[in-house]
Amino acid sequence: MSFKALNLSEPVLRGVQAAGYADPTPIQLRAIPLVLAGGDVIGSAQTGTGKTAAFALPILTRLGAHGKTRVLVLEPTRELAAQVETAFHDFARFTELRTVAIFGGVGYGNQRSEMRRGVDIIVATPGRLMDYLKEGTLNLRDINTLVLDEVDRMLDMGFLPVVKDIIGRCPRDRQTLFFSATVPPEIQAIASFALRNPTRIEIGVSRTVCESVTHALYPVAHDQKFDLLLALLAKTDFDSVLIFSRTKHGADKIARRLKAANHSVAVLHANRSQNQRIEALAGFKSGKYEVMVATDIAARGIDVAGVSHVINYDVPEKPEDYVHRIGRTGRAQAVGDAFTLVTPENAGDIRDIQRFIGTKIPELKLEGFPYAPFLPRPERPPEQRESRRGAAQHPRDENRRGGWNRFGGRGRR
Ligand code: AMP
C-alpha cells in the first residue's frame, strides 16, 4: 500500500515525497487511518519504526489551514523535541502550518517571538513548556490534539506531575495519542487518565531488539574494560560508533581517554550546554566525529542515520534501556552491531536483560586480546561459612556466589 492510498492531504503527500519515503512502514499503515479518524491511540513501537511520521502526517492533514495553536507534542528530551519538530516542519513544507520547538537550555527570546507570530504545532519538553504556561505567555485552550511521546522515559525522568498538570490544562474534548516503548501498569494508569477508548497498536514486539542488529556480550575484568574498548574499536570495521556510559562523569572520562588514543570523539549528556549538545550531535551526524559517547537520557530517541555500532561500555541499569540503546543502530532497517562489555558484577543485570528481550545474547571473546584472568574469589575460613556475622563481614562473597568465573562461565565454584 502506498502513502497515496492513506487519504493524506495533497500538500502533506508532497512533503512525504520530498522526505524521500517511498512506502509506509507498518506503524504508519496502522496508525495513520486511526489518527485521521480522530480516535485516541496507544502505540507501543520500537524506536526506528517510523513512529514520528505515523502521527505527524495525519495530524498535519487534519489541521488543514494555518490557525490557532491546536497541536501539542510532549517529548522527554531536548534532542527529541528538536528532532520531532524538524520532522513536522519538513513534512509541512508545502502547507502554511507553523511549528515551534520549546525546550530548556536555550534562551527564551526566540521561542517567545515564534509563539507571538502564531504557531499551529508546539513540540515541547514539559519543563520549559510549564514556564510559559505559568507566566501566561501560552495557554492550551485551543489544543485539539495532544501527543505524549516516549511516555516511559518521560516518567523515568520524573516528569509525571508536570505532565499531569499539562494534560489537565488541555480541553477535555481532544484527541490524545500516546506512545511508549513499553506499557507497564504505571504507564497504563496515565493512559487511563489521559485517553478515551483508545485503540492499541503494537508494532514489532516492544521487548525485542531490531532483527537487523546482531548483538554480543564481551565478558571482561573491570580494570580491562577500557583496553578492551580500544581493542574492539581497532579490530572492528565501523563507520560510526555510539558508546553508552551509565554516568555523565563516566562519559567524560571515556571521551578523554579515547581522544588521547587519537579517536575523534563527541560527548552527549545532560550536563553539557545546549550548544555543546547540538554541536556534538551535528558533528557526529556529519562524520566529523567517528565516536559519540552518551548517557541514556541524552541519547534517548536521537536519530542518527548510519550508526554502524553501539557499544555498551556500561551495562544499562534497566532492561528496557538495552532495547532503546540498541535501537540506535538498525534504525529503519540498516544493519548494525551492538556490543556490551560485561564485568562479573553485571551478571544479574544481564540475566534481567535476556529475560526482558526473550533471547540469550551470545558471549564472545576478542581474539588476540590479552585477557587477565578474573581474580579468584578469596576463600572464606570454614568457621565463617555458615555464620551470619561472617557473611556480613564478606558481603561481596554472597554476591559472587553463583556469579561469574573466568570469561563469563557461570556457576558455583
Ligand atoms: P522514527 O521511528 O520516527 O524515529 O523514524 C526512524 C527513521 O526512519 C527516521 O530516520 C525516519 O526518517 C525514517 N523513516 C520513517 N518513515 C519512513 C518511511 N516510510 N520510509 C523510509 N524511511 C522512513
Side-chain angles (χ1 to χ4, degrees):
M1 196 179 197
S2 68
F3 278 106
K4 270 208 176 115
L6 284 171
N7 288 329
L8 296 168
S9 66
E10 223 290 300
V12 171
L13 270 179
R14 285 173 62 203
V16 173
Q17 232 171 20
Y21 297 180
D23 296 307
T25 64
I27 193 171
Q28 290 161 3
L29 285 173
R30 301 270 313 274
I32 290 172
L34 292 171
V35 180
L36 279 178
D40 284 4
V41 172
I42 298 185
S44 45
Q46 282 173 236
T47 51
T49 50
K51 172 163 62 89
T52 315
F55 61 80
L57 302 178
I59 285 177
L60 291 168
T61 295
R62 275 166 66 82
L63 279 175
H66 172 57
K68 293 176 175 163
T69 303
R70 288 159 291 163
V71 177
L72 173 63
V73 182
L74 288 183
E75 296 288 344
T77 65
R78 298 163 184 179
E79 281 76 15
L80 259 177
Q83 186 178 302
V84 169
E85 192 266 339
T86 303
F88 265 97
H89 186 264
D90 288 351
F91 295 136
R93 75 184 84 181
F94 300 108
T95 72
E96 292 174 345
L97 297 166
R98 294 201 198 132
T99 61
V100 68
I102 300 279
F103 50 78
V106 292
Y108 287 74
N110 284 344
Q111 297 177 355
R112 281 210 181 93
S113 59
E114 287 291 317
M115 285 188 284
R116 260 198 307 275
R117 277 184 61 216
V119 292
D120 300 279
I121 300 153
I122 294 179
V123 184
T125 53
R128 176 63 68 94
L129 183 78
M130 207 59 205
D131 290 350
Y132 293 123
L133 292 172
K134 282 191 175 145
E135 70 181 24
T137 320
L138 180 70
N139 68 65
L140 303 178
R141 66 175 160 247
D142 296 311
I143 296 294
N144 59 26
T145 309
L146 172 65
V147 182
L148 303 169
D149 196 17
E150 306 261 346
V151 181
D152 46 354
R153 180 49 52 115
M154 212 125 57
L155 301 199
D156 278 356
M157 293 171 71
F159 281 136
L160 178 59
V162 53
V163 167
K164 276 192 160 167
D165 189 335
I166 292 169
I167 298 171
R169 290 166 189 254
C170 296
R172 275 169 183 269
D173 190 16
R174 58 160 199 266
Q175 178 178 37
T176 310
L177 311 175
F178 189 100
F179 294 92
S180 189
T182 52
V183 190
E186 66 272 25
I187 293 193
Q188 185 58 51
I190 317 229
S192 321
F193 159 77
L195 291 101
R196 280 186 309 195
N197 301 325
T199 307
R200 263 184 175 273
I201 46 181
E202 275 188 48
I203 294 298
V205 183
S206 56
R207 289 170 165 245
T208 58
V209 292
C210 293
E211 275 174 16
S212 51
V213 175
T214 50
H215 47 157
L217 303 177
Y218 281 89
V220 66
H222 193 269
D223 56 5
Q224 283 199 303
K225 271 173 92 174
F226 188 76
D227 292 336
L228 182 63
L229 173 66
L230 277 185
L232 278 170
L233 290 176
K235 290 230 167 154
T236 311
D237 185 17
F238 65 83
D239 298 322
S240 58
V241 187
L242 192 49
I243 298 175
F244 282 97
S245 154
R246 256 193 207 189
T247 64
K248 296 172 247 186
H249 175 69
D252 284 334
K253 195 166 155 199
I254 296 165
R256 255 197 323 273
R257 295 179 72 184
L258 284 175
K259 277 182 201 159
N262 289 329
H263 286 283
S264 57
V265 186
V267 193
L268 194 69
H269 62 61
N271 276 7
R272 311 213 80 209
S273 72
Q274 189 57 22
N275 281 343
Q276 287 173 320
R277 287 160 72 164
I278 290 168
E279 199 277 330
L281 203 49
F284 187 57
K285 282 184 181 179
S286 71
K288 177 176 166 196
Y289 304 114
E290 56 185 0
V291 178
M292 183 155 79
V293 189
T295 55
D296 287 292
I297 283 176
R300 173 74 168 198
I302 55 165
D303 182 13
V304 262
V307 172
S308 63
H309 290 77
V310 165
I311 299 182
N312 295 314
Y313 188 81
D314 298 318
V315 173
E317 216 156 326
K318 295 189 182 162
E320 55 267 37
D321 283 335
Y322 183 81
V323 179
H324 288 305
R325 289 180 180 189
I326 301 314
R328 304 298 100 225
T329 148
R331 288 178 74 83
Q333 276 76 55
V335 178
D337 285 316
F339 302 149
T340 302
L341 307 192
V342 184
T343 63
E345 300 79 44
N346 301 137
D349 293 333
I350 293 295
R351 258 196 310 276
D352 292 345
I353 289 169
Q354 300 193 132
R355 199 174 302 133
F356 185 79
I357 63 175
T359 44
K360 205 160 159 36
I361 309 171
E363 274 172 25
L364 295 182
K365 251 184 94 173
L366 185 67
E367 279 309 308
F369 182 74
Y371 284 99
F374 292 142
L375 285 178
R377 189 163 61 99
E379 272 302 314
R380 279 184 288 165
E383 69 275 13
Q384 288 187 353
R385 286 201 181 127
E386 301 307 321
S387 118
R388 297 186 69 193
R389 196 168 150 258
Q393 283 171 348
H394 298 273
R396 295 195 56 199
D397 280 359
E398 277 308 299
N399 294 338
R400 286 182 184 196
R401 250 208 252 155
W404 293 67
N405 48 38
R406 272 176 74 104
F407 306 127
R410 269 204 274 114
R412 282 168 200 262
R413 283 183 290 167

